Amino acid sequence: MNRNIKIIIAVILIIIIFASAVSISQDLFQKFRIDATQQKLYSLSDATRNIIAGLNQPIKMKLYYTRTAAMKAPDRIQFFNTYASYVESLLKEYKAQSNGMIQLEIIDPRPFTDEETDAVRYGLRLEPLNEKNNFIFGLVVQTPFGVTKTIDMFSPDRQNFVEYDISSLIDSATRREKKNIGVMSSLPVMGQVSEYVAQMMAMQGRRPPGPWTIIEQLRMKYNVQGIETTVSKIEGVDILLLIHPKDLPEQTLFAIDQFLLNGGRLIVLIDPFCYADRPPQQSQMMQADYDGGSNLEVLMKNWGLQMPDMTFAGDRELALTAAPNNRPEKVLGFLGLTKTAGCFNEQSVITGALNEVRVIFPGALQEVMLPEGNDIDIERTAIMSTTDKGNTWQPSNPYEIMMLNPSRLMANFQDGNEPVHLGYMVSGRFASAFAEGITVTDKNDPNSEPNHVTGLTKSKEPSQVVIISDVDFISDDMAYSRTFFGMIPTGDNANLLLNAIDALGGSAELIKIRSRGSVTRGFEVVNKIETEAEQSIREQENAINAEIDAYRQQLSQIIGNAQEGQEEIIGSEILQKKTELETKLRQAEVRLQQVRLKAYQGIENLGDRLRNLNTLPGPIFILLVAVIIAIYRSSRKKHYIKRIGNK
């Protein structure tokens, strides 16, 4: 009796020790985990680790996911269960790497509870599932200073950028100040017009135009200020947005150069022919001679890029239909870049989630040799391109652009064999385009002596430039549609610029975060077997259907050639043919079934191998342990008998 009590107590103590060991190990060894996925989906990038290490205040993260409701929802909602588990695991990795600076709550908001009310108060999106349940899948980040940032819904089309979105949320929540965006343009994007133009419009009974819609949209999130095209120094700006920088003076180019070298971020929109740059109302010939292009070749050579003047990107497959001559035609210069055509770099946070961007006569960005000594720290990444059949083209004269003949342009165009790039992200330490400085004279004082100005010759720290070879894509005519409720975005034109600003507006570490692999991955071997099987079956089905069509044609011919008085003969012949057809159909079905079984036998064999691999090791291991114990006991028994015999 005492022995049984001791055994029971020992078992209870073992269970308690085991449970305690598991609990303690989860806390002690939380950082020591192995990510066995091929794409390291559950490992944080070095950039994210640096952002977490730089936290100077504790933050609280709340993941809201209606898991209970999702389990009973349709398949399209149940898909989120895997995605939610992945996000939860990733957030736990954030917490594990934070040394206690990040608190994490996983909340399943039930209907009509305080948790669901809180989710609504934070601004998370609710999608009704039925009369009682709503679907919620969002994240809330809070700081002790009352800052609250949210991801209202984790969208499946951004699962490759989930780490970027979470890190961006943390970065924006811990930075209390708004970013300052400086806008420099040769166009009246800020609503500014000259005094002369304002007077002329007033005489005509018209009001001066207001800012472009994209500027109004930027003002909702950033501090936006206009910068003159004649400045000699750029200060108080985090991101400089150059829109159609046309014929900038040397001192302004030098100011832009020094802004970049001092760690500023730069977004450049240039265009070989900008439709928004309208010439004054003059004769048609004067309009044709008007130069509506912009370029930054002086600075771009140090970025390893160039955009040839009056050279455009074309692509027959991307050409959009327009009616420049009151007749709908595909226009070579009007391109609709799409995700399905592979026009966007899916590894870039700027373009990875875009679906469609429309451009008008975009230029062609080309990589060139960097100046000697400046080719070590520069990384150039194409983010937007045509298809592989894209190519460059040039008009024979300016009239071809002003007086469009779409059919002639399309006929003269030759398909290429590689993409033409329309957008680039360039990062690194840049060298100055004005290593020797510049000479500045005071225009207000003709008698003053020239002043030689010098500056940095190389970047103090890494910086970034986003350059796009089109300006019209963010104009009101292309990026927005005018409705009764105001201007609404069209396609992803505005999102392209907003994404670029968001990407450059974060910390330097945030920009380094790349796209992650997909959470849901198929079985490549199984997919390959199924594809081959389907192809084989399709060929067999086509052959059998061809036989059936041939039999039906024969029957039709017999009936069509029949004469009166031969009904009985015809009937018996039809019956005979019908019997033959049914026999051959049954034989064809048997053949088709055999082909299908043989084609899919590879999947069955693979399943059997995996099943055996999963089930056999356990029994084999137990059997080996039993054999080892039996051998051990047998040897101990023989040894014991031998000792007794010796005594």
Side-chain angles (χ1 to χ4, degrees):
M1 187 67 181
N2 293 335
R3 184 184 177 189
N4 292 337
I5 294 175
K6 290 180 180 180
I7 292 174
I8 293 173
I9 294 174
V11 171
I12 294 174
L13 290 175
I14 290 173
I15 294 174
I16 294 174
I17 293 172
F18 178 77
S20 301
V22 171
S23 178
I24 294 172
S25 63
Q26 285 180 341
D27 294 332
L28 291 179
F29 303 103
Q30 191 171 17
K31 293 183 179 180
F32 303 98
R33 291 181 285 180
I34 299 175
D35 187 353
T37 58
Q38 182 179 5
Q39 297 169 307
K40 300 299 180 184
L41 296 177
Y42 297 90
S43 300
L44 300 181
S45 65
D46 292 338
T48 292
R49 293 175 188 270
N50 292 336
I51 291 175
I52 296 174
L55 289 175
N56 55 10
Q57 55 182 296
I59 63 173
K60 179 182 291 186
M61 296 197 298
K62 297 180 180 180
L63 177 64
Y64 287 83
Y65 180 61
T66 50
R67 188 177 297 276
T68 303
M71 296 294 291
K72 304 175 183 178
D75 292 340
R76 64 184 180 86
I77 298 298
Q78 291 188 20
F79 157 80
F80 282 90
N81 289 329
T82 302
Y83 188 20
S85 298
Y86 167 67
V87 173
E88 181 178 334
S89 299
L90 200 62
L91 290 174
K92 289 180 179 178
E93 190 68 20
Y94 275 80
K95 178 184 176 182
Q97 298 294 330
S98 68
N99 293 323
M101 295 295 286
I102 294 179
Q103 299 178 14
L104 177 62
E105 293 183 28
I106 310 297
I107 301 171
D108 182 2
R110 305 294 181 90
F112 313 111
T113 62
D114 292 339
E115 287 82 4
E116 187 179 65
T117 303
D118 289 340
V120 175
R121 179 167 55 87
Y122 290 134
L124 302 188
R125 195 195 316 170
L126 272 69
E127 296 292 342
L129 295 178
N130 48 48
E131 294 180 357
K132 296 182 179 180
N133 296 301
N134 294 312
F135 179 73
I136 304 173
F137 185 21
L139 179 66
V140 178
V141 172
Q142 295 175 309
T143 71
F145 300 100
V147 178
T148 300
K149 298 287 183 178
T150 63
I151 296 177
D152 61 347
M153 177 72 75
F154 282 100
S155 176
D157 59 1
R158 285 196 63 84
Q159 62 176 317
N160 289 0
F161 303 102
V162 64
E163 181 189 359
Y164 175 86
D165 291 338
I166 296 173
S167 298
S168 176
L169 203 67
I170 295 174
D171 186 64
S172 61
T174 53
R175 284 187 294 103
R176 304 181 64 181
E177 73 284 352
K178 277 187 176 182
K179 288 291 182 180
N180 296 318
I181 309 296
V183 180
M184 180 187 295
S185 179
S186 301
L187 299 172
V189 297
M190 305 292 291
Q192 76 275 21
V193 294
S194 65
E195 184 178 352
Y196 171 76
V197 173
Q199 291 177 356
M200 291 295 294
M201 296 183 70
M203 293 175 61
Q204 297 172 1
R206 295 186 299 162
R207 296 177 59 186
W212 285 15
T213 306
I214 188 66
I215 301 298
E216 296 288 2
Q217 196 168 353
L218 287 176
R219 283 174 172 164
M220 297 179 183
K221 189 175 181 180
Y222 304 100
N223 296 321
V224 181
Q225 63 184 77
I227 298 178
E228 296 293 333
T229 58
T230 56
V231 296
S232 57
K233 194 172 186 179
I234 300 174
E235 294 179 318
V237 172
D238 299 305
I239 300 175
L240 179 60
L241 175 58
L242 300 180
I243 302 177
H244 198 46
K246 178 180 175 182
D247 300 329
L248 297 182
E250 187 181 46
Q251 67 175 17
T252 303
L253 294 173
F254 181 74
I256 297 171
D257 178 80
Q258 293 299 301
F259 169 79
L260 183 63
L261 299 187
N262 276 286
R265 282 81 182 273
L266 191 60
I267 298 177
V268 181
L269 310 183
I270 53 177
D271 203 323
F273 184 86
C274 179
Y275 259 76
D277 187 4
R278 299 290 184 180
Q281 295 183 359
Q282 298 172 351
S283 65
Q284 192 67 36
M285 182 177 296
M286 292 296 293
Q287 289 188 13
D289 294 336
Y290 183 78
D291 182 11
S294 58
N295 212 327
L296 277 181
E297 61 269 18
V298 175
L299 302 180
M300 287 173 57
K301 65 181 181 181
N302 278 40
W303 308 340
L305 296 174
Q306 70 173 8
M307 186 190 73
D309 293 334
M310 290 304 289
T311 300
F312 303 96
D315 195 317
R316 294 180 191 274
E317 296 184 2
L318 303 178
L320 296 173
T321 300
N325 301 318
N326 298 323
R327 183 178 62 187
E329 295 180 86
K330 283 195 171 184
V331 182
L332 185 62
F334 295 6
L335 303 182
L337 310 176
T338 63
K339 184 174 186 177
T340 55
C343 298
F344 306 119
N345 184 344
E346 296 187 358
Q347 302 301 314
S348 170
V349 296
I350 298 176
T351 55
L354 300 182
N355 292 306
E356 180 185 10
V357 172
R358 296 180 300 165
V359 294
I360 298 181
F361 289 106
L365 296 176
Q366 303 168 353
E367 294 188 16
V368 295
M369 292 289 293
L370 286 159
E372 186 176 354
N374 190 38
D375 56 351
I376 299 177
D377 300 327
I378 300 296
E379 180 182 356
R380 295 166 292 189
T381 304
I383 59 175
M384 192 167 64
S385 312
T386 65
T387 69
D388 292 340
K389 294 184 179 179
N391 203 350
T392 59
W393 61 278
Q394 294 178 319
S396 57
N397 56 70
Y399 289 98
E400 276 196 300
I401 305 297
M402 300 299 299
M403 307 293 292
L404 282 177
N405 188 333
S407 58
R408 181 187 301 171
L409 292 178
M410 196 70 75
N412 294 334
F413 179 75
Q414 295 183 351
D415 292 334
N417 52 18
E418 60 183 17
V420 179
H421 302 308
L422 312 180
Y424 264 92
M425 170 83 165
V426 188
S427 58
R429 296 180 182 272
F430 300 97
S432 174
F434 304 93
E436 304 297 330
I438 63 171
T439 301
V440 180
T441 57
D442 188 356
K443 295 182 179 180
N444 298 324
D445 186 3
N447 298 322
S448 63
E449 295 184 359
N451 183 26
H452 188 72
V453 180
T454 60
L456 296 175
T457 58
K458 196 166 186 177
S459 298
K460 287 183 175 180
E461 57 186 51
S463 192
Q464 295 78 31
V465 177
V466 173
I467 183 167
I468 298 172
S469 60
D470 187 58
V471 172
D472 298 295
F473 82 95
I474 60 161
S475 65
D476 287 359
D477 293 335
M478 292 293 293
Y480 300 90
S481 297
R482 191 177 301 277
T483 68
F484 176 79
F485 301 99
M487 302 292 283
I488 61 173
T490 301
D492 289 318
N493 284 38
N495 288 335
L496 173 58
L497 182 59
L498 295 174
N499 289 352
I501 293 176
D502 284 342
L504 299 191
S507 66
E509 297 296 339
L510 190 62
I511 300 173
K512 299 177 184 177
I513 300 177
R514 299 296 188 227
S515 166
R516 307 179 71 85
S518 177
V519 179
T520 56
R521 300 182 61 197
F523 295 96
E524 297 180 1
V525 176
V526 174
N527 292 340
K528 183 179 179 181
I529 295 174
E530 288 183 342
T531 301
E532 294 176 352
E534 289 293 337
Q535 185 176 0
S536 175
I537 293 171
R538 192 181 303 114
E539 293 175 355
Q540 294 290 333
E541 287 178 341
N542 292 338
I544 294 171
N545 289 331
E547 292 180 10
I548 294 174
D549 292 339
Y551 297 147
R552 289 175 177 172
Q553 289 179 2
Q554 292 177 12
L555 290 175
S556 299
Q557 290 178 358
I558 293 173
I559 295 175
N561 296 332
Q563 299 178 0
E564 292 187 14
Q566 296 180 331
E567 290 83 358
E568 294 182 0
I569 300 176
I570 294 172
S572 61
E573 192 169 351
I574 290 175
L575 290 176
Q576 183 179 357
K577 284 290 184 183
K578 181 181 178 183
T579 303
E580 292 178 0
L581 177 61
E582 289 176 348
T583 302
K584 291 182 178 181
L585 282 175
R586 283 194 295 271
Q587 293 174 351
E589 289 175 354
V590 172
R591 293 201 314 271
L592 184 61
Q593 186 177 8
Q594 292 175 348
V595 169
R596 184 176 283 111
L597 289 174
K598 184 177 180 180
Y600 283 86
Q601 191 63 40
I603 298 177
E604 295 297 328
N605 294 338
L606 178 62
D608 292 339
R609 290 198 300 271
L610 293 176
R611 194 178 302 110
N612 294 334
L613 185 64
N614 289 329
T615 57
L616 290 180
I620 291 175
F621 177 75
I622 294 174
L623 180 61
L624 288 175
V625 172
V627 170
I628 292 172
I629 293 174
I631 294 173
Y632 175 74
R633 287 181 174 180
S634 177
S635 63
R636 288 291 303 273
K637 184 177 180 181
K638 290 180 181 179
H639 180 69
Y640 178 75
I641 294 173
K642 185 176 180 180
R643 289 181 58 188
I644 295 297
N646 292 335
K647 291 181 178 180

